[in-house]
Amino acid sequence: MCGGASKVMIRTLNLPSDVESRLLSNGLGTAQALIDEGKAGLEALGISPDDILGISEAVNKETGMAID
């Protein structure tokens, strides 16, 4: 899967609109960017633990990769 996660845009993850807006406003527009940011980075952006769990599940479903 060459470049798989970098081609999955967060708009395809069906996230709540407020979470999607916060991610996009912080330059996180792809699943790969979310994976690179990690859970600690998402928490630092003010994303709640429940939302991080939802993001992680959506990313895993689309890419087979986890957010650590």
Side-chain angles (χ1 to χ4, degrees):
M1 182 186 307
C2 182
S6 65
K7 294 182 180 181
V8 176
M9 304 305 290
I10 67 164
R11 295 183 192 273
T12 64
L13 299 178
N14 293 322
L15 300 173
S17 60
D18 61 322
V19 172
E20 183 178 302
S21 293
R22 179 169 284 170
L23 295 172
L24 289 172
S25 70
N26 284 284
L28 303 173
T30 65
Q32 186 63 56
L34 298 173
I35 293 166
D36 292 345
E37 192 70 24
K39 289 180 181 178
L42 294 175
E43 286 177 356
L45 296 175
I47 307 293
S48 75
D50 289 338
D51 285 334
I52 292 171
L53 179 61
I55 292 166
S56 184
E57 289 173 353
V59 168
N60 184 269
K61 180 180 175 185
E62 290 293 322
T63 68
M65 300 174 80
I67 297 177
D68 295 321

